[in-house]
Amino acid sequence: MNIVVLCKQVPDTESKIKLLDDQSGFAEADIKWVLNPYDEFAVEEALKLREAGKAEKVIAVAAGPKRAEDALITALAMGADEAVLVEDDLFNWAEAYQVAQALAAALKEVDFQLIICGKQAVDDDSAAVPGMLAELTNIGQMTVVSKMELNDDTVTGWRDVEGGAQEVLEGKLPLIVTANRGLNEPRYASLPGIMKAKRKPFKRVGLADIGLSSLEPKTKVVGWSLPEPRAEGKMFEGNSDDLPQRVSEVVKLLVDEAKVL
Amino acid sequence: MSKKRIYVGGEWLIGSTDPADVFTPEDFSKEHEMIYETTMDFVRNEIMPQMERIESKDFEFSREIHRKAGELGLLGTDVPEEYGGMGLDKVSTTAVGDAMGRAGSYAVTHAAHTGIGTLPLVYFGNEEQKKALLPKLASGEWVGAYCLTEAGAGSDALSGVTRAMLSKDGKHYLLNGEKMFITNAGFADLFCVYAKVDDEHFTGFIVPADTEGVSTGAEEKKMGGHGSSTRPVILEDAKVPVKNVLFEVGKGHKIAFNVLNLGRWKLGASCTGGAKQCVSEAVKYAVGRTQFNKPISSFGVIQNKLATMTVRAYISDSIQYRLAGLFDDKLDTLDGHAKKEGMENAKAIEEYAVECSISKIYGSETLDYCVDEWVQILGGYGYCSEYPAERSYRDARINRIWEGTNEINRMLIPGTLLKRALQGRLDLLGAAGKLTQELVGFSPLGVELPDTPLAVQEQMVAQCKKIGLMTAGVAVQKFQQKLIDEQEVLELIADLAIEIFAMESGLLRAQKQLDKNGEEGAKYHIAAVKVYVDDTVPKIEKWAKQLLAYVEQGDTLRTQLAAVKKLARYQPIDAISLKREIAERAIELEAYPLFF
Amino acid sequence: MSDVLVLAEFKGAEPKKVTLEMLTVAREIAADTGGKVIAAALSQDAVGVGEQVGPYGASKVCRVNGVSQYHPQGYAEVLAKLVAEEKPDIVLLPATAMGKDLAPRLAAKLDVGLASDIVGFRLEGGEFIAKRPVFAGKAFNEVAFLAKPALATVRPNVFSAVPGEDGAATEEATDAAVGEALTKLVEKTAGDEGQLDLTEADRVVSGGRSLKSKENFAILRELAEVLGATVGASRAAVDAGYADPSMQVGQTGKVVNPSLYIACGISGAIQHQAGMRTSKTIVAINKDKKAPIFQLADFGIVADLFEAVPLLTQEIKKQTQ
């Protein structure tokens, strides 16, 4: 049984996001690119399953521009066995559906029973590719999982939902599982792993190679904006007598204006 | 395929270097980048959150960290693969040391273990010793330490009195003596101990910590590095089998001097890593701290500090990685067999002994400057242990002292250069002689400079080399063999050499960036070099004049001073504005802005 | 003319607040473009849906029976059929655990794209343009839809739920048969009694040395319970022994990044600020109006925390439940 781990290259979460002058995107000049942190949990889980003898190969797959190969190399350095990059510039801030279709096409050539990936990519935060891919390949899904077990061909997943509650799901392979923080403690890319990575099989394919002559988007990003700068705070001074009133006012603002309640 | 040019140690004083030949951080391969990142991640996740625990001398915990580091390969970059190491290039080792420079007291444990703790075996161990011991050191199962210093033998290392007497049955040496200031002693498994056989022959011995007769004294109460163990090691009839002699009886000094070269360069690398951390931390604080209704990062005085720290760290980085590249190029010329013979490696590295000393001096003095300014920028908070600046300030101070004091290293620079000149390895005197001819008709104003961003700096560095060469030549001619007793002169020559190498290293790096990415892409590299050269040329002039005024008099002195003045003549640049640009870049990124 | 289909999500028999928020949004769009709002209710537990969603703008509720328990393929099948029948221009789902699990599957089934977790929208020439956060809210994207229906998940607690003048919606019930679930729900465990770790918490209530004792932290715990928040402390409070070191927020403590940070009796010196300055909304309560924390706070109440905090607890209970 082989496990596919979906990877995405994203800006490091510490990066400051600056928009281009024409607001058509964000500036890539000072960005530090890394493997999506949630995908690290996925790689680790796959490696653990392989080490437990439950899987044979861990195959890291990504869709991205050329620089995305670095994210796959990180996965290889962590211990993944092979990597596949669907390479095209259109994947630079592509919509989730395009990515899902490309991955579905690429995975036709891959022998796998389980896909694990991060619950979302920390750049676009869409959390959509896994579900779309599941539908396109007609397999089951367990999303936002912080614990999973594989016994023979049955996956048990503990899914995080509202209120700190968890749903325990069961499903048979093939399946896609999306990883939440807490699934495991991702290992470092050790120096031996780093040196071995460059010798591991790395397949690069273009859209034509996977049978997609074109990949038309169904949505379009028509504008970028930054959040409003923090406005000056409001002070509520007074005395003990009017305190209940002041408190009530603040709470109302928290509900209506700040929308945090 | 053209072979890479191998530069002779010290050649930069008399010739020029092609920027394409110099290794810079911007030349990191993907593997180098990942190695650096893994080490940084390790330090950030495993060490920084546990600083207090490490500082409390929880050595069991230090051992745990050490083992984890070993598992990741962070202890074996210099150990050949066949002995359980990673067998990586020197750039990789520099990257690991650079990142480790932020690991506080663990950085000391790490450096002592991987440098002086492991390298004597790598270079001078025989096959049996290497096979038995290196895998345990590289994996972190064992911690290594190095016993050279004694109460009466510091800078004068070879004057140690620890003795080794061969037993009657010829099977053991009995070692007696006390070693001082031994790093890692509190939890080391293996010591490399130097002792004099028959009170005369300086020899290195491999001594396991559990050897009968070996014990350690109490922990030193130090200014800093509290999380690292520093103890005396006491040898009382310590029974060391004959097979544990390292290399050859009486040749211990060879081990010591060769290991010191690499130890110095490693120290330079980790000091530079620490200096870059100072910049990143100071700028983060300055951006968040508001006074007079503005973040203090917007004040000129603070920007001046941030820029100066950045420039110094940039130059130090340029030196460390240039040196790593020189090592790797030279080591690549050794065939497989020679590479395996650790001694050949040591000889190759000895080529750059002068550069190693420079690296150590420059790195430690840069760190001290940066750590001091970090404390200053934090104001009162810098003085409080709540912020890491305070600990870093205390931790940094030892770097100018150990691994050969900076004073000793300064003496070594002209000493070694001259020795090589006399051996015919480096044509210093010939070059100095040619220079005298050249200077007779020299006029800097006549030279037409190309209109490139660093043309002026290129010219000034070349002029400074001439100043250095000329001044050193005058001193050598005057004092001949007695020059060794003129320490102030030697110090001045050393300073000249250090700053020339420093300026040139930064210049070559910036030039390489300029060639690759154009003026806009190399903007901050160029700014850093311009500022540094602007600041340093007057120092070169001052030192040369001081030296000449001591050595010469009358008309000869006047002529020579005039030559120096001509060579040093230079239109000052607007360094204040350039420094503001550099500071603003650091502020924009909220981090040290000139690493990959 | 834009018709909007809203997937109503329920908690037991009642629609969740996000359902009413989505309906309000849908009603606005429909009013602006002359369309109508249809609610889809797939949950078997919902009762009297028509009365509940009607006032918020739904003219019709499609009750579909046949999926006894939620699973993404089943719901996607049902909704896809509804979409084929009703042909809405826009479909809204809640960005809840269920909605986020379902929407991508539905999008692929309908062969359309998806705008996740939208926090705003506008109509340009009748076209729906959604605004959604990216980079954890460090920036926003405006997304236009090139295929119909436009599919979006709506973030809870962003839009207001405002009832209008309309009466109950008509209910249409249908039965649906769906394929077998590829994943089954085996068990649902209750919410964790313990607090979320400070660094993960979305809401934090912190106390300073003014709390005066360990016991007094109880009033903060009461406030935290009402909010579902984690309790933190300043270094001064920890040093004085009023709070455990694991609760410390600041330079030598933890760095938190919640949507709501309430600082009670904390002066707000720079070491503390270092640990919480990126919080989305900061409320400060302090007797001293010159306390540095007020420079950082969005809402500052100058008062004795022992009076203010209990009042705050009460008021929040009142206004949010």
Side-chain angles (χ1 to χ4, degrees):
Chain A
M1 199 274 276
N2 296 329
I3 304 177
V4 162
V5 177
L6 300 179
C7 298
K8 188 179 183 187
Q9 187 190 54
V10 299
D12 181 78
T13 49
E14 300 265 312
S15 303
K16 300 206 174 317
I17 301 303
K18 281 185 293 225
L19 297 186
L20 297 171
D21 288 332
D22 62 1
Q23 318 260 298
S24 64
F26 66 96
E28 297 197 6
D30 294 330
I31 296 291
K32 178 165 170 219
W33 298 99
V34 298
L35 171 61
N36 182 34
Y38 286 106
D39 295 339
E40 283 182 32
F41 296 115
V43 173
E44 177 63 29
E45 199 65 18
L47 294 175
K48 277 168 63 180
L49 287 169
R50 187 190 67 197
E51 282 159 8
K54 302 198 173 179
E56 213 177 285
K57 272 200 298 197
V58 174
I59 305 166
V61 179
K66 184 169 192 308
R67 57 170 163 71
E69 67 190 2
D70 288 345
L72 289 171
I73 291 173
T74 300
L76 290 174
M78 282 173 75
D81 301 290
E82 292 174 20
V84 178
L85 174 64
V86 181
E87 190 181 319
D88 198 294
D89 279 341
L90 86 81
F91 293 116
N92 200 359
W93 209 263
E95 68 168 14
Y97 194 43
Q98 288 173 301
V99 174
Q101 289 173 84
L103 291 175
L107 288 179
K108 278 206 198 93
E109 307 291 314
V110 179
D111 174 24
F112 70 91
Q113 291 295 299
L114 176 61
I115 303 176
I116 313 180
C117 63
K119 70 172 179 181
Q120 71 198 61
V122 299
D123 55 358
D124 64 30
D125 289 325
S126 291
V129 168
M132 291 173 170
L133 180 59
E135 179 64 28
L136 291 172
T137 52
N138 200 23
I139 62 178
Q141 69 191 54
M142 290 183 191
T143 60
V144 194
V145 162
S146 59
K147 181 174 161 191
M148 72 174 275
E149 274 172 22
L150 173 63
N151 291 302
D152 296 320
D153 63 348
T154 304
V155 175
T156 310
W158 280 254
R159 184 165 172 259
D160 300 322
V161 296
E162 281 94 1
Q166 279 191 321
E167 292 177 350
V168 184
L169 300 174
E170 248 179 45
K172 284 217 190 305
L173 299 176
L175 266 187
I176 183 166
V177 175
T178 79
N180 197 8
R181 185 174 298 281
L183 182 62
N184 53 49
E185 192 75 53
R187 64 194 65 184
Y188 298 102
S190 71
L191 267 54
I194 290 169
M195 298 315 288
K196 283 198 199 111
K198 60 183 167 196
R199 298 197 288 266
K200 293 182 176 174
F202 194 114
K203 203 164 115 188
R204 257 166 259 266
V205 296
L207 291 178
D209 299 317
I210 53 175
L212 292 173
S213 53
S214 68
L215 200 49
E216 292 307 316
K218 309 279 180 167
T219 62
K220 185 166 177 217
V221 175
V222 295
W224 281 74
S225 59
L226 293 175
E228 298 294 319
R230 202 189 264 283
E232 198 151 321
K234 298 192 173 87
M235 287 290 279
F236 296 83
E237 297 179 57
N239 54 39
S240 288
D241 293 327
D242 62 14
L243 184 56
Q245 214 171 313
R246 290 189 276 143
V247 169
S248 170
E249 224 184 302
V250 169
V251 175
K252 192 158 191 301
L253 288 167
L254 288 175
V255 172
D256 294 334
E257 222 178 79
K259 299 213 199 303
V260 285
L261 289 178
Chain B
M1 172 149 162
S2 66
K3 266 169 105 189
K4 188 98 193 272
R5 168 146 173 224
I6 304 301
Y7 291 85
V8 170
E11 190 182 327
W12 41 273
L13 263 175
I14 56 178
S16 62
T17 300
D18 185 348
D21 290 337
V22 166
F23 190 89
T24 70
E26 290 74 38
D27 296 319
F28 269 23
S29 67
K30 234 164 262 187
E31 283 79 29
H32 290 140
E33 274 182 39
M34 291 172 80
I35 289 171
Y36 176 78
E37 284 302 326
T38 288
T39 316
M40 284 292 270
D41 281 342
F42 180 78
V43 173
R44 236 181 268 126
N45 298 331
E46 307 291 329
I47 297 174
M48 284 182 181
Q50 304 283 359
M51 277 304 192
E52 235 180 275
R53 196 168 168 191
I54 297 172
E55 291 289 282
S56 73
K57 292 184 167 48
D58 183 350
F59 294 142
E60 262 322 298
F61 185 68
S62 298
R63 290 196 71 107
E64 226 180 275
I65 295 195
H66 201 67
R67 262 190 300 272
K68 277 193 189 161
E71 268 164 47
L72 291 177
L74 300 178
L75 303 177
T77 55
D78 290 308
V79 176
E81 275 186 85
E82 54 252 74
Y83 307 116
M86 294 293 313
L88 297 178
D89 59 13
K90 293 290 174 261
V91 168
S92 302
T93 300
T94 312
V96 171
D98 181 341
M100 274 292 170
R102 299 136 216 270
S105 293
Y106 180 70
V108 174
T109 308
H110 180 268
H113 171 92
T114 57
I116 52 184
T118 304
L119 294 176
L121 270 172
V122 172
Y123 291 152
F124 296 97
N126 59 37
E127 196 62 26
E128 195 194 319
Q129 290 164 339
K130 288 196 278 195
K131 274 211 166 73
L133 304 169
L134 284 177
K136 292 205 207 281
L137 289 172
S139 70
E141 188 188 329
W142 275 7
V143 175
Y146 185 79
C147 302
L148 174 63
T149 304
E150 296 174 17
S155 292
D156 189 3
L158 300 183
S159 72
V161 298
T162 300
R163 5 174 14 217
M165 302 281 283
L166 189 59
S167 64
K168 285 200 178 56
D169 63 7
K171 291 204 178 130
H172 293 99
Y173 281 94
L174 291 174
L175 267 57
N176 279 285
E178 190 171 316
K179 296 291 183 180
M180 276 288 276
F181 296 148
I182 306 308
T183 304
N184 294 347
F187 57 106
D189 301 284
L190 191 70
F191 295 106
C192 170
V193 180
Y194 292 93
K196 282 183 174 153
V197 172
D198 298 331
D199 288 317
E200 204 188 317
H201 309 289
F202 197 72
T203 308
F205 294 88
I206 298 167
V207 182
D210 59 5
T211 301
E212 190 189 317
V214 173
S215 63
T216 60
E219 284 289 335
E220 294 292 344
K221 295 189 172 67
K222 311 184 297 265
M223 180 193 288
H226 291 314
S228 112
S229 169
T230 313
R231 295 185 186 189
V233 172
I234 303 151
L235 306 145
E236 289 169 299
D237 279 345
K239 219 164 151 190
V240 178
V242 162
K243 72 175 172 66
N244 280 19
V245 166
L246 195 53
F247 193 43
E248 276 174 52
V249 172
K251 296 258 176 78
H253 57 285
K254 273 210 182 286
I255 308 172
F257 293 148
N258 278 292
V259 163
L260 270 175
N261 285 331
L262 266 188
R264 283 167 187 162
W265 152 71
K266 271 173 188 279
L267 194 68
S270 81
C271 283
T272 308
K276 289 186 281 189
Q277 181 191 35
C278 293
V279 177
S280 294
E281 293 299 310
V283 74
K284 273 200 267 268
Y285 176 87
V287 164
R289 169 74 172 176
T290 309
Q291 288 285 272
F292 308 110
N293 281 318
K294 289 200 279 190
I296 65 173
S297 57
S298 62
F299 295 132
V301 159
I302 299 294
Q303 290 194 356
N304 197 2
K305 289 182 202 294
L306 291 172
T308 310
M309 289 161 81
T310 299
V311 169
R312 291 285 304 266
Y314 175 84
I315 298 290
S316 196
D317 240 2
S318 307
I319 292 173
Q320 314 307 335
Y321 285 100
R322 177 182 183 184
L323 186 49
L326 285 170
F327 286 146
D328 284 334
D329 289 343
K330 179 97 184 175
L331 290 170
D332 276 346
T333 62
L334 300 179
D335 64 50
H337 171 80
K339 265 199 212 173
K340 221 182 160 225
E341 295 301 312
M343 263 231 64
E344 291 297 320
N345 272 267
K347 258 214 303 232
I349 284 162
E350 191 269 344
E351 180 67 46
Y352 305 110
V354 168
E355 289 80 355
C356 289
S357 287
I358 292 179
S359 148
K360 191 264 182 183
I361 293 167
Y362 202 87
S364 58
E365 289 176 8
T366 297
L367 176 60
D368 254 0
Y369 171 78
C370 290
V371 103
D372 184 60
E373 289 287 47
W374 179 17
V375 168
Q376 191 67 15
I377 290 172
L378 263 50
Y381 292 110
Y383 203 65
C384 298
S385 59
E386 188 161 8
Y387 282 80
E390 179 271 327
R391 175 189 50 73
S392 301
Y393 182 86
R394 289 182 291 103
D395 284 350
R397 190 57 185 81
I398 190 63
N399 292 304
R400 282 161 46 201
I401 296 172
W402 61 11
E403 227 39 90
T405 61
N406 286 11
E407 289 68 31
I408 287 287
N409 271 291
R410 279 187 160 84
M411 295 298 104
L412 282 175
I413 291 168
T416 310
L417 287 170
L418 274 171
K419 208 161 66 174
R420 294 194 187 173
L422 294 171
Q423 285 170 345
R425 274 168 81 173
L426 191 62
D427 190 20
L428 278 176
L429 301 171
K434 264 201 237 133
L435 191 54
T436 326
Q437 304 276 21
E438 197 188 311
L439 286 174
V440 172
F442 174 74
S443 173
L445 300 172
V447 181
E448 182 75 38
L449 284 180
D451 184 22
T452 53
L454 291 166
V456 169
Q457 286 67 31
E458 232 180 291
Q459 182 195 44
M460 290 321 299
V461 170
Q463 313 288 58
C464 287
K465 285 188 190 183
K466 291 185 179 143
I467 296 175
L469 212 49
M470 184 195 105
T471 320
V474 163
V476 169
Q477 236 178 7
K478 171 74 180 252
F479 295 108
Q480 309 275 358
Q481 309 292 40
K482 294 227 182 76
L483 185 57
I484 196 162
D485 297 323
E486 299 290 338
Q487 289 199 334
E488 296 95 326
V489 172
L490 291 173
E491 212 173 33
L492 286 167
I493 297 175
D495 282 333
L496 288 165
I498 292 166
E499 289 299 345
I500 288 167
F501 189 68
M503 282 192 290
E504 192 196 44
S505 301
L507 176 64
L508 291 167
R509 180 178 173 192
Q511 188 64 56
K512 199 169 186 185
Q513 269 299 98
L514 178 58
D515 292 339
K516 205 163 74 167
N517 296 329
E519 198 168 341
E520 192 51 40
K523 182 171 172 190
Y524 299 104
H525 291 254
I526 294 171
V529 170
K530 281 186 167 170
V531 165
Y532 194 71
V533 170
D534 184 69
D535 197 51
T536 307
V537 168
K539 292 186 194 172
I540 302 273
E541 188 182 354
K542 177 181 79 171
W543 293 327
K545 286 180 174 174
Q546 278 177 353
L547 198 160
L548 291 169
Y550 174 64
V551 173
E552 291 295 355
Q553 289 145 349
D555 282 333
T556 322
L557 176 59
R558 261 189 292 275
T559 318
Q560 287 168 349
L561 288 176
V564 168
K565 192 163 170 207
K566 259 203 290 203
L567 285 166
R569 190 172 322 178
Y570 164 65
Q571 179 80 348
I573 58 164
D574 178 8
I576 292 179
S577 297
L578 278 175
K579 284 172 102 173
R580 281 186 189 156
E581 270 178 50
I582 294 171
E584 263 147 34
R585 178 63 170 165
I587 290 164
E588 185 188 355
L589 298 176
E590 273 186 46
Y592 171 78
L594 281 159
F595 201 60
F596 79 89
Chain C
M1 193 189 77
S2 292
D3 289 341
V4 186
L5 176 69
V6 173
L7 174 64
E9 187 174 347
F10 296 84
K11 191 171 181 161
E14 306 276 302
K16 282 189 174 178
K17 186 154 164 283
V18 65
T19 301
L20 306 177
E21 290 163 4
M22 287 192 291
L23 287 168
T24 308
V25 167
R27 182 168 99 241
E28 200 183 310
I29 297 171
D32 237 35
T33 61
K36 62 183 194 294
V37 178
I38 303 161
L42 275 60
S43 162
Q44 309 300 287
D45 301 326
V47 172
V49 182
E51 282 107 56
Q52 301 195 62
V53 305
Y56 288 87
S59 52
K60 177 165 90 168
V61 176
C62 295
R63 297 228 44 185
V64 185
N65 303 308
V67 195
S68 57
Q69 203 173 76
Y70 166 79
H71 64 99
Q73 308 95 258
Y75 269 42
E77 266 183 69
V78 168
L79 282 174
K81 232 170 112 218
L82 260 181
V83 167
E85 281 162 17
E86 303 288 339
K87 299 199 190 352
D89 303 278
I90 300 169
V91 176
L92 300 178
L93 280 74
T96 54
M98 180 207 77
K100 291 200 274 203
D101 186 53
L102 168 63
R105 201 130 199 162
L106 178 61
K109 205 167 189 71
L110 297 173
D111 196 33
V112 299
L114 167 67
S116 310
D117 207 27
I118 70 171
V119 296
F121 73 94
R122 62 186 170 87
L123 294 165
E124 193 171 277
E127 289 303 309
F128 176 61
I129 296 181
K131 181 177 176 184
R132 56 178 304 272
V134 294
F135 293 111
K138 284 193 226 174
F140 295 95
N141 272 179
E142 281 209 310
V143 180
F145 299 84
L146 308 173
K148 280 206 189 325
L151 182 58
T153 56
V154 178
R155 183 184 273 197
N157 274 330
V158 169
F159 299 95
S160 311
V162 183
E165 305 282 301
D166 305 298
T170 56
E171 282 196 33
E172 253 178 44
T174 47
D175 289 318
V178 297
E180 203 188 318
L182 295 170
T183 52
K184 292 189 175 64
L185 177 66
V186 162
E187 197 191 324
K188 185 157 175 169
T189 66
D192 203 342
E193 287 310 317
Q195 293 173 54
L196 265 179
D197 184 64
L198 268 174
T199 55
E200 311 261 305
D202 192 48
R203 292 175 179 177
V204 175
V205 174
S206 265
R209 205 209 325 257
S210 317
L211 266 299
K212 295 220 173 62
S213 76
K214 208 170 172 168
E215 291 68 44
N216 287 342
F217 261 77
I219 60 169
L220 297 188
R221 277 195 290 278
E222 274 170 39
L223 174 56
E225 204 178 310
V226 163
L227 287 170
T230 303
V231 180
S234 72
R235 194 189 103 178
V238 170
D239 286 347
Y242 306 154
D244 192 75
S246 67
M247 290 165 64
Q248 191 173 322
V249 171
Q251 174 70 28
T252 43
K254 298 188 173 148
V255 175
V256 303
N257 189 20
S259 323
L260 176 62
Y261 188 89
I262 305 184
C264 310
I266 294 178
S267 67
I270 193 159
Q271 311 97 294
H272 189 76
Q273 285 194 27
M276 42 66 71
R277 63 175 342 171
T278 57
S279 308
K280 182 156 165 281
T281 301
I282 299 169
V283 177
I285 302 171
N286 197 300
K287 258 200 289 213
D288 177 9
K289 68 179 180 199
K290 288 263 167 66
I293 192 89
F294 287 126
Q295 280 171 32
L296 199 55
D298 298 291
F299 303 100
I301 305 177
V302 182
D304 182 333
L305 73 92
F306 291 105
E307 287 178 31
V309 172
L311 280 172
L312 192 56
T313 308
Q314 255 177 52
E315 198 59 37
I316 289 175
K317 249 196 258 186
K318 203 164 86 177
Q319 291 197 34
T320 62
Q321 277 161 21

